[in-house]
Amino acid sequence: MNASVKPSTLLRQHLAQDIVVAPGAYDGMSARLVAMAGFSAVYASGGAIARAAGYPDIGLLSFSEVMDRVEKIVDASGLPVVADADTGFGGSANVERTVRIMERAGVAAFHIEDQSFPKRCGHLDDKSLIDAEEMCRKVHIARQTLSDPDALVIARTDAIAVEGFEAALSRAERYLKAGADMIFVEAPETLEQIRAIAERLPGLKLINMFYGGKTPLTPLPDLAAMGYRLAIIPSDLQRAAIHAMQATLAAIRQTGDSSALADQLTSFKEREEIVQTRRYLALDTQ
């Protein structure tokens, strides 16, 4: 990333050119791999961060626990980071503090949602929402708190599963008027809903696109043509890592080592290159 350009400015430049794909990271290693794979942004997934700590995505981690991971994702990736700010971690005062700390950490964009605290994963059932007016106040506070005009406030609504599709669009319109820079209507369930969101809501739009969720997978060129500018893929890296660790553990349990999976293991040398061991050790010789 160009050090002379703010991450938020760089992200806006990317959004103006084409749809941006932000795979979900949950620690420094996964964030570094996203950057090495050539992506232009990374998503700090609140759900993946929670699961990395061994908890479900139902608002159990504290703000400081989440920020510890977000800061590592910012540092390790060197990319513009889109962060999951959940509900702002409480009421209006919490939103102000959350935004200040995220901006200080170097986050380029973040989304806050209209679920009641503690929240649930957007693709779980039995969610509950706060009043739209309260969410508008949160969005307004978030935008007013930011000192960086290029940082993006993304307003997320989970209303489709609670109040229905039309209510979700109505809420989204209100959040845009309250000052949101981008809208995120979570968990549309059909291609028709995906199209309607794009057609009926103005401005920048985010879509959550991952295998196995409630939202049908849609090709990126189609999403871009509809008008979506940011696609987050929150949990796929973590799900792949879980599968790989399970396979490796099964091999170790069966034979005592992982040699049967040698072709699937990152080499010692490559692992050290990923974490930049040589660069850090060279600091002692300067």
Side-chain angles (χ1 to χ4, degrees), residues 169-192:
L169 291 185
S170 177
R171 279 177 172 261
E173 289 171 350
R174 293 185 63 179
Y175 302 163
L176 286 167
K177 291 177 181 177
D181 301 291
M182 176 181 282
I183 201 68
F184 174 13
V185 180
E186 174 65 306
E189 298 179 355
T190 65
L191 182 58
E192 289 71 28

Side-chain angles (χ1 to χ4, degrees), residues 27-29 31-33 35 71-79 276:
D27 60 8
M29 171 71 81
R32 180 71 55 74
L33 291 172
E71 289 169 352
K72 289 177 174 61
I73 290 168
V74 171
D75 289 342
S77 71
L79 295 174
Q276 302 179 351

